[in-house]
Amino acid sequence: MAALVVTGCGKKEEPVAAAPAPAPVAAKAIVIGLDDNFPPMGFRDDKNELIGFDIDLAKEAGKRLGVEVSFKPIDWSAKEAELNGNRIDVLWNGLTITEERKANILFTKPYLENRQIVVVTDKSSITNKAQLKGKVVGVQDGSSAVEAVQKDEATAKSLKELKKFGDNVTALMDLSAGRLDALVVDEIVGRYYAGKKPGEYRVLEDNFGTEDYGVGTRKGDTELAAKLDKALDDMKADGTAAKISTQWFGKDIIKK
């Protein structure tokens, strides 16, 4: 009725000023995608709780950023789809920085150095990469081990099979059972398992190259990547990262 009265009197309504667009709200939580069967970076203890080196590092970074950190187990071979589909915000789980991944992922600066090692059983006769010819070699599907082996074309072509697994734990079980001749795996993971079962596994002197670990965000999340970089730099500077490293590896292996 009020609107009709105003119109009848011939009065013109003053246009209502548009409300200013709300300022972007800073993220109060970040969801970290990980392979929850990747010790000692991220895995479940006997109480089914997530623990690991990267878990502790990420939680500390979250505190410094003033955000709540949650962890979401994902299919590691689909990690880029999970990230760019906005189902997670960050990949933080022994993620190797590669040129191929840089096309779809924005990485922080490296925080850890890693190698792709070759693990065999202690009773195996294999002593070098050349002896992998005609053998079945395992890798985790979606891991940088796949790319590392394929880059060594001579060795890759000589294999009987490059067998891909959903996780390294299953691959190691097949290695112990004789269904694999060797496993190519991140040094940090391989040596962790070898240390857990003395006398069962042996690491070859030959390897498939050195690489760096970084934290991955979406290409457009430059602000988040910069904040994570600063948190990691601060943790390196004040010794917190070294302390976490020593707790998990017995020494400071953080890349400065």
Side-chain angles (χ1 to χ4, degrees), residues 90-166:
V90 172
L91 289 165
W92 196 335
N93 192 211
L95 179 65
T96 300
I97 301 172
T98 68
E99 291 304 315
E100 183 180 6
R101 287 174 177 171
K102 282 181 180 179
N104 299 304
I105 299 172
L106 177 61
F107 284 94
T108 62
K109 290 181 286 187
Y111 65 92
L112 214 61
E113 189 175 79
N114 179 57
R115 294 187 304 165
Q116 289 296 334
I117 60 171
V118 183
V119 179
V120 297
T121 59
D122 192 55
K123 63 184 179 182
S124 171
S125 61
I126 297 172
T127 59
N128 55 55
K129 285 198 296 184
Q131 293 175 347
L132 295 176
K133 181 178 180 180
K135 306 297 186 183
V136 180
V137 176
V139 289
Q140 182 184 13
D141 191 17
S143 73
S144 58
V146 179
E147 186 178 341
V149 174
Q150 290 172 343
K151 277 184 177 179
D152 188 334
E153 292 184 10
T155 301
K157 288 178 180 178
S158 75
L159 303 179
K160 179 180 179 180
E161 181 186 357
L162 185 64
K163 189 173 182 179
K164 298 176 182 179
F165 293 81

Side-chain angles (χ1 to χ4, degrees), residues 60-61 64-65 226-236:
E60 178 63 27
R64 294 176 185 234
L65 267 58
K227 287 181 177 179
L228 288 170
D229 258 335
K230 185 179 186 310
L232 285 167
D233 283 344
D234 290 346
M235 290 160 67
K236 292 175 185 179

